[in-house]
Structure formats: C-alpha cells, structure tokens
Amino acid sequence: MYVLDDINRDLLDLLQTDGRMSFKELGDRIGLTAPAVAERVRKLEDAGVIKGYRAVVDYEALGFPILSIVRVKAPIAGRAVDEKIAALPNVIEANRVTGSDSHVIRARLRTTRDIEDLLADVWEDGETITNLVTSSPVPRRPMNLKATNAGRAS
Amino acid sequence: MYVLDDINRDLLDLLQTDGRMSFKELGDRIGLTAPAVAERVRKLEDAGVIKGYRAVVDYEALGFPILSIVRVKAPIAGRAVDEKIAALPNVIEANRVTGSDSHVIRARLRTTRDIEDLLADVWEDGETITNLVTSSPVPRRPMNLKATNAGRAS
DNA sequence: TCTGAAATGTGTCGGGG
DNA sequence: CCCCGACACATTTCAGA
C-alpha cells in the first residue's frame, strides 16, 4: 500500500477538486515551490496513485438526461459478456458483484426508448432489473482523503 | 440542450481523456491555434458543459480496496436521509432511484469491518442490500461523445 | 471566430544547501 | 527533499481579417 505524507494527501485533494491547477498555485497553497510540487506529482503519477486527469462533462446538457442502473443476472458471466457490455458507448461503468446478480451497469441515455435498446443487448445474457436515477444527493465525487485519513500506515 | 459542433465534440473527448492537455497541444490535434482553443474551452466551462477537472486517484493503492454498492429501501426518503449519506466521507456517489429501493449508494472502504459501520449508519433509515464489487469490466469511464453522436441537434 | 505577434506567467533543469 | 535562478515554453491579450 502506498503511504502518503500530509503534503501529498493535500496535493491529491486539491488535484481531485481542480485537476488543472498549476504547479505554482498548488505550491502556493501548501507552502512549496513549483519544482517541488512538480516532482511530487510526477512521482504520484509514476506510482499509479494518480491514474490520469479528466474533464467532468455534463451529459444532461448534451442530451443524455437519463442515468440508468441495470442489474444483470447472467448464468454464465464470462469474458464474452464483459466485452459485449464494454462495447456499448453509453455504458459509463460496469461491475461484477457478489450476491444474486452478476453485473451492475450504469449507462447514460437520451430517451426512454434507448432503455429498450440497452436491455435488448444484455437481455440475451440474463435477467435484468433496471432502475432510473431520479436525483443524486451525492453526485459522483472524489473521496476527501484528509477526512478519511487516507495513506496513513496501518 | 447544448449543441456541439464537431470541433467542440473532439475537444471534449480529448479533455475527458487527458484533462491537463495544454491548449497548444489540443490545438495541434484539431487544427486550431492555442488562443482559439482557449476561447472555446472557456465558453464550454461558462456554459456548464465542462463542470470541472479532476485527477483520477487509485483508491485501492491508498488502502481502500473495497468498492461496495448498497441499496437502501427508506420508507421516508427525505432530505435528512440524503444529508446523512452525503456526510459520510467514504461515500463517492448516492442516487435516488425508481423501483422498490429508494437509494443506491457507492462507497470506498478499507476493510470488511467498515461495511458494518457504513450499514449501521444507513440502517436506521431502511432495509439495505449490499453488493461488493469483485471486478470492473468497465471501470468508470467517460462517454465517447464521438461514438454516441453527442451534441447533434435532434 | 480565427490568426499572429507581443507580454506575461508557468514549467523545467541545473547547481547548491 | 527542498530552494533558487535561468531558460524554455505555454497562456493571455489584442489588433486585424
């Protein structure tokens, strides 16, 4: 497990909030110079702790107002099923899970009609249960590493 | 609905893949100069299409190997419940949904013991069903806007 | 809405503590 | 592991089309 000191923990919290913050500004906030920050960030990237940077896009504004959660009970949950799911561009996440279902899939859709198309694709693999998200009390957010005492040696 | 031209669609796909890409490099890839890119990106931000930028952090590497999905059936699903869930730092997303459950919660946890603590907190609000993610055929990913023909006037 | 050029700000690399 | 100074590079602004 990768152990963080307090500076790296704060760096990660800042970069999770604003992934485009400059090294200089990061340094100003935590009391380091830009080169020192750059080196720490580079090491976090090399270690795989920072996996990348992403712009967060509002899919609703782009015409995908429906967020659906589909649970699948696939009798034979093999690689073929996984790959078929991954090939669907509307799918933004898919997990294999414990319990009576085999997969949990999340997809962004344009219309209710698209739900049928999505289900038709996974239908062949097993029974499905679909929930539509009506609101998000906690929209997808980063963990607050400071609040969770992340990175402390256990 | 916000209508994208092809350039903005490609810009968003690039920024979803690498949120720290410089305006100059973005411009080189799509055939514009840096100032033109900067202006387009600024407008997308102002319009709320780009909601922000985030570093993607590997929580497993930081000691949170468990991703849990908890479905809650809360008889009275009011604001108080939402706020209690939102206050838990391990919760990375919570949705209200249609169907027999009221909420779907995702949380990152350190140990199986933490599952008990999490459930104890939401337990008071209703019955729970918990699934543990064993693998992710599709890890959380951005939508490919080009593949989905996003932003086209319908 | 874009380009091109000038000014400003930031990233990067060396040397040194 | 950090700071400082110097250079290279990116961003911003603005005039012009």
Side-chain angles (χ1 to χ4, degrees), chain A residues 2 15-17 19-21 48-49 51-59 61 71 86 88 91-98 106 110 131-138 140-141 143 148-149, chain B residues 2 15-21 48-49 51-59 61 71 86 88 91-98 106 110 131-138 140-141 143 148-149:
Chain A
Y2 195 93
L15 283 171
Q16 285 189 119
T17 303
R20 272 183 93 84
M21 198 178 288
V49 174
K51 293 193 279 191
Y53 302 87
R54 297 219 189 117
V56 180
V57 169
D58 185 343
Y59 297 122
R71 304 203 300 273
L88 303 170
V91 171
I92 57 176
E93 185 166 6
N95 310 289
R96 299 250 207 137
V97 293
T98 61
R106 310 190 136 230
R110 274 187 207 277
N131 298 315
L132 302 186
V133 171
T134 52
S135 71
S136 294
V138 182
R140 197 166 287 200
R141 73 178 177 193
M143 277 185 73
T148 51
N149 263 304
Chain B
Y2 195 94
L15 284 171
Q16 285 190 120
T17 303
D18 180 2
R20 274 183 92 83
M21 198 177 289
V49 174
K51 294 193 277 190
Y53 303 87
R54 296 218 188 118
V56 180
V57 169
D58 184 343
Y59 297 122
R71 303 204 299 275
L88 302 170
V91 170
I92 58 176
E93 185 166 6
N95 310 288
R96 299 250 208 135
V97 293
T98 61
R106 310 190 138 229
R110 274 187 207 278
N131 298 315
L132 302 186
V133 172
T134 51
S135 71
S136 293
V138 181
R140 197 166 287 199
R141 73 178 178 195
M143 277 185 71
T148 52
N149 263 304

Coordinates of all heavy atoms in Angstrom, one line a residue, chain A residues 2 15-17 19-21 48-49 51-59 61 71 86 88 91-98 106 110 131-138 140-141 143 148-149, chain B residues 2 15-21 48-49 51-59 61 71 86 88 91-98 106 110 131-138 140-141 143 148-149:
Chain A
Y2 N 0.4 2.2 -0.8 CA 1.2 3.5 -0.9 C 0.9 4.4 0.3 O -0.2 4.7 0.5 CB 0.8 4.1 -2.2 CG 1.8 5.2 -2.7 CD1 2.8 5.0 -3.5 CD2 1.6 6.5 -2.2 CE1 3.7 5.9 -4.0 CE2 2.5 7.5 -2.6 CZ 3.5 7.2 -3.5 OH 4.4 8.2 -3.9
L15 N -5.9 18.4 -6.3 CA -6.0 17.9 -7.8 C -7.3 17.2 -8.1 O -7.8 17.2 -9.2 CB -4.8 17.1 -8.1 CG -3.5 17.9 -8.3 CD1 -2.3 16.9 -8.5 CD2 -3.6 18.7 -9.6
Q16 N -7.9 16.6 -7.1 CA -9.2 16.0 -7.3 C -10.2 17.0 -7.4 O -11.2 16.8 -8.1 CB -9.5 15.0 -6.1 CG -8.8 13.7 -6.1 CD -9.3 12.8 -5.1 OE1 -9.8 11.7 -5.4 NE2 -9.3 13.2 -3.8
T17 N -10.0 18.2 -6.8 CA -11.0 19.2 -6.9 C -10.8 20.1 -8.2 O -11.8 20.4 -8.8 CB -10.9 20.2 -5.7 OG1 -11.1 19.4 -4.5 CG2 -12.0 21.3 -5.7
G19 N -8.3 19.6 -11.3 CA -7.2 18.8 -11.9 C -6.3 19.7 -12.9 O -5.3 19.2 -13.4
R20 N -6.7 20.9 -13.1 CA -5.9 21.8 -14.0 C -5.1 22.8 -13.2 O -4.5 23.7 -13.8 CB -6.8 22.4 -15.0 CG -6.9 21.6 -16.3 CD -7.7 22.3 -17.4 NE -6.9 23.1 -18.3 CZ -6.3 22.5 -19.4 NH1 -6.5 21.2 -19.6 NH2 -5.6 23.2 -20.2
M21 N -5.2 22.7 -11.9 CA -4.5 23.7 -11.1 C -3.0 23.7 -11.4 O -2.4 22.6 -11.5 CB -4.7 23.5 -9.6 CG -4.4 24.7 -8.7 SD -4.8 24.3 -7.0 CE -6.6 24.3 -7.0
G48 N 1.3 5.4 -10.0 CA 0.0 5.0 -10.4 C -1.1 5.4 -9.4 O -2.2 5.1 -9.5
V49 N -0.7 6.2 -8.4 CA -1.6 6.8 -7.5 C -2.5 7.8 -8.2 O -3.8 7.8 -8.0 CB -0.9 7.5 -6.3 CG1 -2.0 8.1 -5.4 CG2 -0.1 6.4 -5.5
K51 N -4.0 8.3 -11.6 CA -4.2 7.5 -12.8 C -4.4 8.3 -14.1 O -4.3 7.8 -15.2 CB -5.4 6.5 -12.7 CG -5.1 5.4 -11.6 CD -6.1 4.3 -11.7 CE -7.4 4.7 -11.0 NZ -8.3 3.5 -10.8
G52 N -4.7 9.6 -13.9 CA -4.9 10.5 -15.0 C -5.7 11.7 -14.6 O -5.9 11.9 -13.4
Y53 N -6.1 12.4 -15.6 CA -6.9 13.7 -15.4 C -8.0 13.7 -16.3 O -7.8 13.3 -17.5 CB -6.0 14.9 -15.5 CG -4.8 14.9 -14.7 CD1 -3.6 14.3 -15.1 CD2 -4.8 15.5 -13.4 CE1 -2.5 14.3 -14.3 CE2 -3.7 15.5 -12.6 CZ -2.5 14.9 -13.0 OH -1.4 14.9 -12.2
R54 N -9.2 14.1 -15.9 CA -10.3 14.1 -16.7 C -11.1 15.4 -16.6 O -11.4 15.9 -15.5 CB -11.3 13.0 -16.3 CG -10.7 11.6 -16.5 CD -11.7 10.7 -17.0 NE -11.2 9.3 -17.0 CZ -11.7 8.4 -16.3 NH1 -12.8 8.6 -15.6 NH2 -11.2 7.2 -16.3
A55 N -11.6 15.9 -17.7 CA -12.6 17.0 -17.6 C -13.9 16.3 -17.3 O -14.3 15.2 -17.8 CB -12.8 17.6 -19.0
V56 N -14.7 16.9 -16.4 CA -16.0 16.4 -16.0 C -17.1 17.1 -16.9 O -17.2 18.3 -16.8 CB -16.3 16.7 -14.5 CG1 -17.7 16.1 -14.1 CG2 -15.2 16.1 -13.6
V57 N -17.8 16.3 -17.6 CA -18.7 16.8 -18.6 C -20.1 16.6 -18.2 O -20.5 15.6 -17.6 CB -18.5 16.1 -20.0 CG1 -19.6 16.4 -21.0 CG2 -17.1 16.5 -20.5
D58 N -21.0 17.6 -18.4 CA -22.4 17.5 -18.0 C -23.2 16.8 -19.2 O -23.5 17.4 -20.2 CB -22.9 18.9 -17.8 CG -24.4 18.9 -17.3 OD1 -25.1 17.8 -17.5 OD2 -24.8 19.9 -16.8
Y59 N -23.4 15.5 -19.0 CA -24.1 14.8 -20.1 C -25.5 15.1 -20.2 O -26.1 15.0 -21.3 CB -23.9 13.2 -19.8 CG -22.5 12.8 -19.8 CD1 -22.0 12.2 -18.7 CD2 -21.7 13.0 -20.9 CE1 -20.6 11.7 -18.7 CE2 -20.4 12.5 -20.9 CZ -19.8 11.9 -19.8 OH -18.5 11.5 -19.8
A61 N -26.6 18.1 -20.1 CA -26.7 19.3 -21.0 C -26.4 18.9 -22.5 O -26.9 19.6 -23.4 CB -25.6 20.3 -20.6
R71 N -29.2 -4.0 -13.3 CA -28.5 -5.2 -12.7 C -28.8 -6.4 -13.5 O -30.0 -6.6 -14.0 CB -29.1 -5.4 -11.3 CG -29.0 -4.2 -10.4 CD -29.0 -4.6 -8.9 NE -30.3 -5.3 -8.5 CZ -31.4 -4.6 -8.1 NH1 -31.4 -3.3 -8.1 NH2 -32.4 -5.3 -7.7
A86 N -18.8 -3.8 -22.5 CA -17.8 -2.7 -22.7 C -17.9 -2.0 -24.0 O -17.5 -0.9 -24.2 CB -16.4 -3.3 -22.5
L88 N -20.5 -1.1 -25.6 CA -21.7 -0.2 -25.7 C -21.2 1.2 -25.2 O -20.8 1.4 -24.1 CB -22.8 -0.6 -24.8 CG -23.4 -2.0 -25.1 CD1 -24.3 -2.5 -24.0 CD2 -24.1 -2.1 -26.4
V91 N -22.5 3.0 -22.0 CA -22.1 2.4 -20.7 C -21.0 3.2 -20.1 O -19.9 3.3 -20.7 CB -21.8 0.9 -20.8 CG1 -21.2 0.4 -19.5 CG2 -23.0 0.1 -21.2
I92 N -21.1 3.8 -18.9 CA -20.1 4.5 -18.3 C -19.4 3.8 -17.2 O -18.3 4.2 -16.7 CB -20.5 5.9 -17.8 CG1 -21.7 5.7 -16.8 CG2 -21.0 6.8 -18.9 CD1 -22.2 7.0 -16.2
E93 N -20.0 2.7 -16.8 CA -19.3 1.8 -15.8 C -20.0 0.5 -15.7 O -21.2 0.4 -15.9 CB -19.4 2.4 -14.4 CG -18.6 1.7 -13.3 CD -18.4 2.5 -12.0 OE1 -18.9 3.6 -11.9 OE2 -17.6 1.9 -11.1
A94 N -19.3 -0.6 -15.5 CA -19.9 -1.9 -15.3 C -19.0 -2.7 -14.3 O -17.8 -2.7 -14.4 CB -19.9 -2.7 -16.6
N95 N -19.7 -3.3 -13.3 CA -19.0 -4.0 -12.3 C -19.6 -5.5 -12.2 O -20.8 -5.7 -12.3 CB -19.2 -3.4 -10.9 CG -18.9 -1.9 -11.0 OD1 -17.7 -1.5 -11.1 ND2 -19.9 -1.1 -10.9
R96 N -18.7 -6.4 -11.9 CA -19.1 -7.7 -11.4 C -19.3 -7.6 -9.9 O -18.4 -7.0 -9.2 CB -18.1 -8.8 -11.7 CG -17.8 -8.9 -13.2 CD -18.3 -10.2 -13.6 NE -17.5 -10.6 -14.8 CZ -17.1 -11.9 -14.9 NH1 -17.3 -12.8 -14.0 NH2 -16.4 -12.2 -16.0
V97 N -20.3 -8.2 -9.4 CA -20.6 -8.1 -8.0 C -20.9 -9.4 -7.3 O -21.3 -10.4 -8.0 CB -21.8 -7.1 -7.7 CG1 -21.4 -5.7 -8.1 CG2 -23.0 -7.6 -8.4
T98 N -20.8 -9.4 -6.0 CA -21.3 -10.5 -5.2 C -22.8 -10.4 -5.1 O -23.4 -9.4 -5.4 CB -20.7 -10.5 -3.8 OG1 -21.1 -9.3 -3.1 CG2 -19.2 -10.5 -3.8
R106 N -24.0 0.9 -15.4 CA -24.5 2.3 -15.4 C -24.4 2.8 -16.8 O -23.4 2.7 -17.4 CB -23.8 3.2 -14.5 CG -23.6 2.7 -13.1 CD -23.0 3.7 -12.2 NE -23.7 3.7 -11.0 CZ -24.3 4.7 -10.4 NH1 -24.2 5.9 -10.9 NH2 -24.9 4.6 -9.3
R110 N -30.3 8.9 -23.9 CA -31.0 10.0 -24.4 C -32.5 10.0 -24.1 O -33.1 11.0 -23.6 CB -30.9 10.0 -26.0 CG -29.7 10.7 -26.6 CD -29.9 10.7 -28.1 NE -28.7 10.7 -28.8 CZ -28.0 11.9 -29.0 NH1 -28.4 13.0 -28.5 NH2 -26.8 11.8 -29.6
N131 N -33.2 0.3 -12.8 CA -33.6 1.5 -12.0 C -33.2 2.7 -12.7 O -32.1 2.8 -13.3 CB -33.0 1.5 -10.6 CG -33.3 0.3 -9.8 OD1 -34.5 -0.1 -9.8 ND2 -32.4 -0.4 -9.2
L132 N -34.1 3.7 -12.7 CA -33.7 5.0 -13.2 C -33.4 6.0 -12.1 O -34.1 6.0 -11.1 CB -34.8 5.6 -14.1 CG -35.3 4.7 -15.2 CD1 -36.4 5.5 -16.1 CD2 -34.1 4.3 -16.1
V133 N -32.3 6.7 -12.3 CA -31.9 7.7 -11.2 C -32.7 8.9 -11.4 O -32.8 9.5 -12.4 CB -30.4 8.0 -11.4 CG1 -30.0 9.2 -10.4 CG2 -29.5 6.8 -11.1
T134 N -33.4 9.3 -10.3 CA -34.3 10.4 -10.3 C -33.6 11.7 -9.7 O -33.9 12.8 -10.1 CB -35.5 10.2 -9.4 OG1 -35.2 9.7 -8.1 CG2 -36.4 9.1 -10.1
S135 N -32.6 11.5 -8.9 CA -31.8 12.6 -8.4 C -30.6 12.1 -7.7 O -30.5 10.9 -7.4 CB -32.6 13.5 -7.4 OG -32.8 12.9 -6.2
S136 N -29.6 12.9 -7.5 CA -28.3 12.4 -6.9 C -27.9 13.3 -5.7 O -27.3 14.3 -5.9 CB -27.2 12.4 -8.0 OG -27.5 11.5 -9.0
P137 N -28.4 12.8 -4.5 CA -28.0 13.5 -3.3 C -26.5 13.7 -3.2 O -26.0 14.7 -2.7 CB -28.5 12.6 -2.2 CG -29.6 11.8 -2.8 CD -29.3 11.7 -4.3
V138 N -25.7 12.7 -3.7 CA -24.3 12.8 -3.8 C -23.9 12.5 -5.2 O -23.7 11.4 -5.6 CB -23.6 11.8 -2.8 CG1 -22.0 12.0 -2.9 CG2 -24.0 11.9 -1.4
R140 N -21.5 12.0 -8.3 CA -20.1 11.4 -8.3 C -19.1 12.4 -7.8 O -18.9 13.5 -8.4 CB -19.8 11.0 -9.8 CG -18.7 10.1 -10.0 CD -18.8 9.5 -11.4 NE -19.9 8.6 -11.6 CZ -19.9 7.7 -12.6 NH1 -18.9 7.7 -13.5 NH2 -20.9 6.9 -12.7
R141 N -18.4 12.0 -6.8 CA -17.4 13.0 -6.2 C -16.2 12.2 -5.8 O -16.2 11.0 -5.6 CB -18.1 13.6 -4.9 CG -18.2 12.7 -3.8 CD -18.8 13.4 -2.5 NE -18.9 12.5 -1.4 CZ -19.6 12.7 -0.3 NH1 -20.3 13.9 -0.2 NH2 -19.7 11.8 0.6
M143 N -13.2 11.1 -3.2 CA -13.1 10.9 -1.7 C -12.3 12.1 -1.2 O -11.3 12.5 -1.8 CB -12.4 9.6 -1.4 CG -13.2 8.4 -1.4 SD -12.2 7.0 -0.8 CE -12.1 7.3 0.9
T148 N -10.8 11.1 5.4 CA -10.7 9.6 5.6 C -9.4 9.1 6.1 O -9.2 8.0 6.3 CB -11.0 8.9 4.3 OG1 -10.2 9.4 3.3 CG2 -12.5 9.1 3.9
N149 N -8.5 10.1 6.4 CA -7.2 9.7 6.9 C -6.5 8.7 6.0 O -5.8 7.8 6.4 CB -7.3 9.0 8.3 CG -7.0 10.0 9.4 OD1 -5.9 10.6 9.4 ND2 -8.0 10.2 10.3
Chain B
Y2 N -27.5 21.8 -25.2 CA -26.4 22.5 -25.8 C -25.9 21.7 -27.0 O -25.6 20.5 -27.0 CB -25.2 22.5 -24.8 CG -24.1 23.4 -25.1 CD1 -24.1 24.7 -24.6 CD2 -23.0 23.0 -25.9 CE1 -23.0 25.6 -24.9 CE2 -22.0 23.9 -26.2 CZ -22.0 25.2 -25.7 OH -21.0 26.0 -26.0
L15 N -10.3 16.2 -23.7 CA -10.2 16.7 -22.3 C -10.7 15.7 -21.4 O -10.3 15.6 -20.2 CB -10.9 18.0 -22.1 CG -10.1 19.2 -22.7 CD1 -11.0 20.5 -22.7 CD2 -8.8 19.4 -21.9
Q16 N -11.6 14.8 -21.8 CA -12.1 13.7 -20.9 C -11.0 12.7 -20.8 O -10.9 12.0 -19.8 CB -13.3 13.1 -21.5 CG -14.6 13.9 -21.3 CD -15.8 13.1 -21.7 OE1 -16.7 12.9 -20.9 NE2 -15.9 12.7 -22.9
T17 N -10.2 12.5 -21.8 CA -9.1 11.6 -21.7 C -7.9 12.1 -21.0 O -7.2 11.4 -20.2 CB -8.7 11.1 -23.2 OG1 -9.8 10.7 -23.8 CG2 -7.6 10.1 -23.1
D18 N -7.5 13.3 -21.3 CA -6.4 14.0 -20.6 C -6.8 15.4 -20.2 O -6.6 16.3 -21.1 CB -5.1 14.0 -21.4 CG -4.0 14.6 -20.7 OD1 -4.1 15.1 -19.6 OD2 -2.9 14.7 -21.3
G19 N -7.3 15.6 -19.0 CA -7.8 16.9 -18.6 C -6.7 17.9 -18.4 O -7.0 19.1 -18.2
R20 N -5.4 17.5 -18.5 CA -4.4 18.5 -18.3 C -3.7 18.9 -19.6 O -2.6 19.5 -19.7 CB -3.3 18.0 -17.3 CG -3.6 18.3 -15.9 CD -2.5 17.9 -14.9 NE -1.6 18.9 -14.7 CZ -1.7 19.9 -13.7 NH1 -2.8 19.9 -13.0 NH2 -0.7 20.7 -13.5
M21 N -4.2 18.4 -20.7 CA -3.6 18.7 -22.0 C -3.6 20.2 -22.3 O -4.5 20.9 -22.0 CB -4.4 18.0 -23.1 CG -3.6 17.8 -24.4 SD -4.6 16.9 -25.7 CE -4.5 15.3 -25.0
G48 N -21.3 25.5 -18.6 CA -21.5 24.4 -17.7 C -21.4 23.1 -18.3 O -21.7 22.0 -17.7
V49 N -21.0 23.0 -19.6 CA -20.8 21.7 -20.3 C -19.6 21.0 -19.7 O -19.6 19.8 -19.4 CB -20.6 21.9 -21.8 CG1 -20.3 20.6 -22.4 CG2 -21.9 22.5 -22.4
K51 N -17.9 20.8 -16.3 CA -18.2 21.1 -14.9 C -16.9 21.3 -14.1 O -17.0 21.8 -13.0 CB -19.1 20.1 -14.3 CG -20.5 20.0 -15.0 CD -21.5 19.2 -14.2 CE -21.3 17.7 -14.5 NZ -22.4 16.9 -13.9
G52 N -15.8 20.8 -14.6 CA -14.6 20.9 -13.8 C -13.6 19.9 -14.3 O -13.8 19.3 -15.4
Y53 N -12.5 19.8 -13.6 CA -11.4 18.9 -13.9 C -11.0 18.1 -12.7 O -10.9 18.7 -11.6 CB -10.2 19.7 -14.5 CG -10.5 20.5 -15.7 CD1 -11.0 21.8 -15.6 CD2 -10.4 20.0 -17.0 CE1 -11.3 22.6 -16.7 CE2 -10.7 20.7 -18.1 CZ -11.2 22.0 -17.9 OH -11.5 22.8 -19.0
R54 N -10.7 16.9 -12.9 CA -10.3 16.1 -11.7 C -9.2 15.1 -12.0 O -9.1 14.5 -13.0 CB -11.5 15.2 -11.3 CG -12.7 15.9 -10.9 CD -13.4 15.2 -9.7 NE -14.7 15.8 -9.4 CZ -15.8 15.2 -9.6 NH1 -15.9 13.9 -9.9 NH2 -17.0 15.8 -9.3
A55 N -8.3 15.1 -11.0 CA -7.3 14.0 -11.0 C -8.0 12.7 -10.7 O -8.9 12.7 -9.8 CB -6.2 14.3 -10.1
V56 N -7.7 11.6 -11.4 CA -8.3 10.3 -11.1 C -7.3 9.5 -10.2 O -6.2 9.3 -10.6 CB -8.6 9.5 -12.4 CG1 -9.2 8.1 -12.0 CG2 -9.5 10.3 -13.3
V57 N -7.8 9.2 -9.0 CA -6.9 8.7 -7.9 C -7.2 7.2 -7.8 O -8.4 6.8 -7.8 CB -7.1 9.4 -6.6 CG1 -6.4 8.7 -5.5 CG2 -6.5 10.8 -6.7
D58 N -6.2 6.4 -7.6 CA -6.3 5.0 -7.4 C -6.6 4.7 -5.9 O -5.6 4.7 -5.1 CB -5.1 4.2 -7.8 CG -5.2 2.7 -7.7 OD1 -6.1 2.2 -7.0 OD2 -4.4 2.0 -8.4
Y59 N -7.8 4.5 -5.5 CA -8.1 4.4 -4.1 C -7.7 3.0 -3.5 O -7.3 2.9 -2.3 CB -9.6 4.6 -3.8 CG -10.1 5.9 -4.2 CD1 -11.1 6.1 -5.1 CD2 -9.6 7.1 -3.6 CE1 -11.6 7.4 -5.5 CE2 -10.0 8.4 -3.9 CZ -11.0 8.5 -4.9 OH -11.4 9.8 -5.2
A61 N -4.9 1.7 -4.2 CA -3.4 1.8 -3.9 C -3.3 2.6 -2.5 O -2.3 2.5 -1.8 CB -2.7 2.6 -5.0
R71 N -27.9 -0.8 -1.6 CA -29.3 -0.3 -2.0 C -30.1 -0.2 -0.7 O -30.0 -1.1 0.2 CB -30.0 -1.3 -2.9 CG -29.2 -1.7 -4.2 CD -30.1 -2.2 -5.3 NE -30.8 -3.4 -4.9 CZ -30.2 -4.6 -5.1 NH1 -29.0 -4.8 -5.6 NH2 -30.9 -5.7 -4.8
A86 N -24.7 12.0 2.6 CA -23.6 12.9 2.0 C -22.5 13.2 3.0 O -21.4 13.5 2.6 CB -24.3 14.2 1.5
L88 N -21.1 11.2 4.9 CA -20.1 10.1 5.1 C -19.0 10.2 4.1 O -19.2 10.2 2.8 CB -20.8 8.7 4.9 CG -22.0 8.5 5.8 CD1 -22.8 7.2 5.4 CD2 -21.5 8.3 7.3
V91 N -18.5 7.7 1.1 CA -19.5 7.6 0.0 C -19.0 8.5 -1.2 O -18.7 9.6 -1.0 CB -20.8 8.1 0.5 CG1 -21.8 8.3 -0.7 CG2 -21.4 7.2 1.6
I92 N -18.9 7.8 -2.3 CA -18.4 8.5 -3.5 C -19.6 8.8 -4.5 O -19.4 9.6 -5.4 CB -17.3 7.8 -4.2 CG1 -17.8 6.4 -4.6 CG2 -16.1 7.7 -3.4 CD1 -16.8 5.6 -5.4
E93 N -20.7 8.3 -4.2 CA -21.9 8.6 -5.0 C -23.2 8.1 -4.4 O -23.1 7.0 -3.7 CB -21.8 8.0 -6.5 CG -22.9 8.5 -7.4 CD -22.7 8.2 -8.9 OE1 -21.6 7.5 -9.2 OE2 -23.5 8.6 -9.7
A94 N -24.3 8.8 -4.5 CA -25.5 8.3 -4.0 C -26.6 8.8 -4.8 O -26.7 10.0 -5.2 CB -25.7 8.8 -2.5
N95 N -27.5 7.9 -5.2 CA -28.6 8.3 -6.1 C -30.0 7.9 -5.5 O -30.1 6.8 -4.9 CB -28.5 7.6 -7.5 CG -27.1 7.7 -8.1 OD1 -26.7 8.8 -8.5 ND2 -26.3 6.7 -8.0
R96 N -31.0 8.7 -5.8 CA -32.3 8.3 -5.6 C -32.8 7.6 -6.9 O -32.5 8.1 -8.0 CB -33.2 9.5 -5.3 CG -32.9 10.2 -4.1 CD -33.9 10.1 -3.1 NE -33.9 11.3 -2.2 CZ -35.0 11.9 -1.8 NH1 -36.2 11.4 -2.2 NH2 -35.0 12.9 -1.1
V97 N -33.5 6.5 -6.7 CA -33.9 5.7 -7.9 C -35.4 5.3 -7.9 O -36.0 5.3 -6.8 CB -33.0 4.4 -8.0 CG1 -31.6 4.8 -8.3 CG2 -33.2 3.6 -6.8
T98 N -35.8 5.0 -9.1 CA -37.2 4.4 -9.2 C -37.1 2.9 -8.8 O -36.0 2.4 -8.7 CB -37.6 4.4 -10.7 OG1 -36.7 3.7 -11.5 CG2 -37.7 5.9 -11.2
R106 N -22.7 4.2 -3.4 CA -21.4 3.6 -3.6 C -20.4 4.1 -2.6 O -20.4 5.3 -2.4 CB -20.9 3.9 -5.0 CG -21.9 3.6 -6.1 CD -21.2 3.7 -7.5 NE -21.7 2.7 -8.2 CZ -21.0 1.8 -8.9 NH1 -19.7 2.0 -9.0 NH2 -21.5 0.8 -9.6
R110 N -12.0 0.5 3.5 CA -10.7 -0.1 3.9 C -10.8 -1.6 4.1 O -10.1 -2.4 3.6 CB -10.2 0.5 5.1 CG -9.4 1.7 5.0 CD -8.8 2.1 6.4 NE -8.6 3.5 6.5 CZ -7.5 4.1 6.1 NH1 -6.6 3.4 5.4 NH2 -7.3 5.4 6.2
N131 N -23.9 -5.2 -2.1 CA -23.1 -6.0 -3.0 C -21.6 -5.5 -3.0 O -21.4 -4.3 -2.9 CB -23.6 -5.8 -4.5 CG -25.0 -6.4 -4.6 OD1 -25.3 -7.4 -4.1 ND2 -25.8 -5.6 -5.3
L132 N -20.7 -6.4 -3.1 CA -19.3 -6.0 -3.2 C -18.8 -6.2 -4.6 O -19.1 -7.2 -5.2 CB -18.4 -6.8 -2.3 CG -18.8 -6.8 -0.8 CD1 -17.8 -7.5 0.1 CD2 -18.9 -5.3 -0.3
V133 N -18.1 -5.2 -5.1 CA -17.6 -5.3 -6.5 C -16.4 -6.2 -6.5 O -15.4 -5.9 -5.8 CB -17.3 -3.8 -7.0 CG1 -16.6 -4.0 -8.4 CG2 -18.6 -3.0 -7.1
T134 N -16.4 -7.2 -7.3 CA -15.3 -8.1 -7.4 C -14.4 -7.8 -8.5 O -13.2 -8.1 -8.5 CB -15.8 -9.6 -7.6 OG1 -16.8 -9.6 -8.7 CG2 -16.6 -10.0 -6.3
S135 N -14.9 -7.2 -9.6 CA -14.0 -6.7 -10.7 C -14.9 -5.7 -11.5 O -16.1 -5.6 -11.4 CB -13.5 -7.8 -11.6 OG -14.6 -8.4 -12.3
S136 N -14.2 -4.9 -12.4 CA -14.9 -3.9 -13.2 C -14.5 -4.1 -14.6 O -13.6 -3.5 -15.1 CB -14.5 -2.5 -12.7 OG -15.0 -2.3 -11.3
P137 N -15.4 -4.8 -15.3 CA -15.2 -5.0 -16.8 C -15.1 -3.6 -17.5 O -14.4 -3.4 -18.4 CB -16.4 -5.8 -17.2 CG -16.9 -6.4 -16.0 CD -16.5 -5.6 -14.8
V138 N -15.9 -2.7 -17.0 CA -15.8 -1.3 -17.5 C -15.6 -0.4 -16.3 O -16.5 0.0 -15.6 CB -17.1 -0.8 -18.2 CG1 -17.0 0.6 -18.7 CG2 -17.4 -1.8 -19.3
R140 N -15.0 3.0 -14.3 CA -15.6 4.3 -14.5 C -14.9 5.0 -15.7 O -13.7 5.3 -15.6 CB -15.4 5.1 -13.2 CG -16.3 6.3 -13.1 CD -16.3 6.8 -11.7 NE -17.1 6.0 -10.8 CZ -17.6 6.3 -9.7 NH1 -17.3 7.6 -9.2 NH2 -18.3 5.5 -8.9
R141 N -15.6 5.3 -16.7 CA -15.0 5.9 -17.9 C -15.9 7.0 -18.4 O -17.1 7.1 -18.2 CB -14.8 4.9 -18.9 CG -16.1 4.4 -19.6 CD -15.8 3.4 -20.7 NE -17.1 3.0 -21.3 CZ -17.2 1.9 -22.1 NH1 -16.2 1.1 -22.3 NH2 -18.4 1.6 -22.6
M143 N -18.0 9.0 -21.3 CA -18.6 8.6 -22.6 C -17.8 9.1 -23.8 O -17.2 10.2 -23.7 CB -20.0 9.3 -22.7 CG -21.1 8.7 -22.0 SD -22.7 9.5 -22.3 CE -23.0 9.1 -24.0
T148 N -21.1 8.3 -29.7 CA -22.6 8.4 -29.4 C -23.3 9.6 -30.1 O -24.4 9.8 -29.9 CB -22.8 8.7 -27.9 OG1 -22.0 9.8 -27.5 CG2 -22.4 7.5 -27.1
N149 N -22.5 10.2 -31.0 CA -23.1 11.3 -31.8 C -23.7 12.4 -30.9 O -24.7 13.0 -31.2 CB -24.2 10.8 -32.7 CG -23.7 10.6 -34.1 OD1 -23.1 11.5 -34.7 ND2 -23.9 9.4 -34.6

